[in-house]
Amino acid sequence: GDATLRGQLSSPEGATLVYNGSETVAAQLNKLLAGNTNIFHVDDFGAVGDWSDTTGTGTDDTAAFQAAFDAAQAVGGGKVLASPGKDYRITYTVWYPSNFIFDGQGCKIMLNAVAEGSAFLPKTFLQSGQGIQTTDVIFRNIFDLRSYKQNNWGNGFGMLGVNRILFENIGSSWLWFHLIDGCGGKNVEVKHCWSTGTTSAAFQADAAVGGTAVAGVLPNGTPVPCPFGDGTVSWQYTENMRIHNCYVVNAGFAAVHIHNYVP
């Protein structure tokens, strides 16, 4: 009867009794929830985004970025967001995982490095086995990733040991080395990115050499040298890197630098 039906629909299982097309409402809601479960926001992990170019000060948000990236990895992959209009401060390398998207949503990032190193590197950079790869990564929508007072070392992004990675809508007003260093990356696409100042090349497709071509930096300032560089490891070379629809001015060396290491 009517009363029984009302009771069933209002129960915790009520959504399993109502169909929308060929699926129950419960099934469709579960799909929506699953699609949004693996979304993390750096602000929820303590990032403040209060860097000021005027005072040269701001909260160190590196640990919050790393915590959000780690949370995405812990569930098998996901998306990390930042807030539009905020300017985050990074002082050491943030390590990114596989099956991962970072969407800055128009944020700015100041690389105020404590030592020479890239702002972002794959977690597998910390492992020397060439069979260990970071796969399927996207970085997009960063309005300005730059280094402080044009005197800090480092790259924007490194990708040694990464297979299938996309950089889209990322800009930089100043970085000491490269906005995107393709060293050791496979199947890389760079599109709609811009750079208006470097001492080297804005984009580079090269090889890891001598343990110094790409470096990370730990929270205590200790550098993490490139794990490859003897000329025998396939993953030290860049392969299939496509750069298109990008804008570069005032590059200190070249817009794009392509070279290989011969031991």
mmCIF file of all heavy atoms in Angstrom, residues 25 41 46 99 102 106 117 125 157 256 258:
data_model
loop_
_atom_site.group_PDB
_atom_site.id
_atom_site.type_symbol
_atom_site.label_atom_id
_atom_site.label_comp_id
_atom_site.label_asym_id
_atom_site.label_seq_id
_atom_site.Cartn_x
_atom_site.Cartn_y
_atom_site.Cartn_z
ATOM 1 N N VAL A 25 18.648 5.079 -9.353
ATOM 2 C CA VAL A 25 19.189 6.368 -8.907
ATOM 3 C C VAL A 25 20.402 6.142 -8.018
ATOM 4 O O VAL A 25 21.394 6.885 -8.073
ATOM 5 C CB VAL A 25 18.096 7.167 -8.172
ATOM 6 C CG1 VAL A 25 18.704 8.395 -7.498
ATOM 7 C CG2 VAL A 25 16.996 7.585 -9.147
ATOM 8 N N HIS A 41 42.177 19.385 -2.498
ATOM 9 C CA HIS A 41 42.511 20.799 -2.646
ATOM 10 C C HIS A 41 43.665 21.136 -1.713
ATOM 11 O O HIS A 41 43.624 20.797 -0.525
ATOM 12 C CB HIS A 41 41.300 21.674 -2.318
ATOM 13 C CG HIS A 41 41.366 23.040 -2.926
ATOM 14 N ND1 HIS A 41 42.354 23.956 -2.592
ATOM 15 C CD2 HIS A 41 40.591 23.652 -3.856
ATOM 16 C CE1 HIS A 41 42.163 25.075 -3.285
ATOM 17 N NE2 HIS A 41 41.113 24.915 -4.065
ATOM 18 N N GLY A 46 46.261 22.815 4.276
ATOM 19 C CA GLY A 46 46.966 23.878 4.977
ATOM 20 C C GLY A 46 47.639 24.918 4.122
ATOM 21 O O GLY A 46 48.266 25.847 4.656
ATOM 22 N N ASN A 99 48.909 8.608 -12.404
ATOM 23 C CA ASN A 99 47.449 8.743 -12.484
ATOM 24 C C ASN A 99 47.004 10.014 -11.754
ATOM 25 O O ASN A 99 46.142 9.996 -10.872
ATOM 26 C CB ASN A 99 46.762 7.517 -11.875
ATOM 27 C CG ASN A 99 47.252 6.225 -12.490
ATOM 28 O OD1 ASN A 99 47.351 6.105 -13.703
ATOM 29 N ND2 ASN A 99 47.581 5.262 -11.646
ATOM 30 N N PHE A 102 47.110 17.868 -11.725
ATOM 31 C CA PHE A 102 47.134 19.097 -10.925
ATOM 32 C C PHE A 102 46.533 20.208 -11.766
ATOM 33 O O PHE A 102 47.005 20.487 -12.872
ATOM 34 C CB PHE A 102 48.546 19.486 -10.511
ATOM 35 C CG PHE A 102 48.583 20.800 -9.757
ATOM 36 C CD1 PHE A 102 48.214 20.848 -8.421
ATOM 37 C CD2 PHE A 102 48.936 21.980 -10.393
ATOM 38 C CE1 PHE A 102 48.223 22.053 -7.731
ATOM 39 C CE2 PHE A 102 48.940 23.186 -9.718
ATOM 40 C CZ PHE A 102 48.583 23.227 -8.374
ATOM 41 N N GLY A 106 44.373 28.760 -12.433
ATOM 42 C CA GLY A 106 44.801 30.148 -12.571
ATOM 43 C C GLY A 106 45.612 30.678 -11.406
ATOM 44 O O GLY A 106 45.835 31.893 -11.317
ATOM 45 N N GLY A 117 67.077 23.150 -7.286
ATOM 46 C CA GLY A 117 66.195 22.016 -7.487
ATOM 47 C C GLY A 117 64.936 22.417 -8.216
ATOM 48 O O GLY A 117 64.560 23.589 -8.257
ATOM 49 N N PHE A 125 61.602 9.612 -9.276
ATOM 50 C CA PHE A 125 62.933 10.212 -9.321
ATOM 51 C C PHE A 125 63.761 9.761 -8.120
ATOM 52 O O PHE A 125 64.988 9.669 -8.185
ATOM 53 C CB PHE A 125 62.814 11.733 -9.325
ATOM 54 C CG PHE A 125 64.126 12.459 -9.493
ATOM 55 C CD1 PHE A 125 64.595 12.783 -10.754
ATOM 56 C CD2 PHE A 125 64.888 12.826 -8.397
ATOM 57 C CE1 PHE A 125 65.796 13.451 -10.918
ATOM 58 C CE2 PHE A 125 66.085 13.498 -8.551
ATOM 59 C CZ PHE A 125 66.536 13.806 -9.816
ATOM 60 N N PHE A 157 59.403 22.206 -13.906
ATOM 61 C CA PHE A 157 59.010 20.800 -13.904
ATOM 62 C C PHE A 157 60.123 19.929 -14.463
ATOM 63 O O PHE A 157 60.713 20.241 -15.490
ATOM 64 C CB PHE A 157 57.763 20.591 -14.779
ATOM 65 C CG PHE A 157 56.566 21.375 -14.333
ATOM 66 C CD1 PHE A 157 56.316 22.636 -14.857
ATOM 67 C CD2 PHE A 157 55.686 20.865 -13.401
ATOM 68 C CE1 PHE A 157 55.211 23.370 -14.453
ATOM 69 C CE2 PHE A 157 54.577 21.590 -12.983
ATOM 70 C CZ PHE A 157 54.339 22.841 -13.516
ATOM 71 N N VAL A 256 63.878 26.656 -27.211
ATOM 72 C CA VAL A 256 63.883 25.205 -27.041
ATOM 73 C C VAL A 256 65.307 24.708 -27.233
ATOM 74 O O VAL A 256 65.982 25.084 -28.194
ATOM 75 C CB VAL A 256 62.950 24.506 -28.059
ATOM 76 C CG1 VAL A 256 62.983 22.988 -27.862
ATOM 77 C CG2 VAL A 256 61.522 25.025 -27.925
ATOM 78 N N ILE A 258 67.551 21.218 -27.544
ATOM 79 C CA ILE A 258 67.505 19.772 -27.742
ATOM 80 C C ILE A 258 68.944 19.266 -27.865
ATOM 81 O O ILE A 258 69.714 19.737 -28.702
ATOM 82 C CB ILE A 258 66.734 19.413 -29.027
ATOM 83 C CG1 ILE A 258 65.302 19.967 -28.944
ATOM 84 C CG2 ILE A 258 66.695 17.901 -29.216
ATOM 85 C CD1 ILE A 258 64.525 19.823 -30.233
#
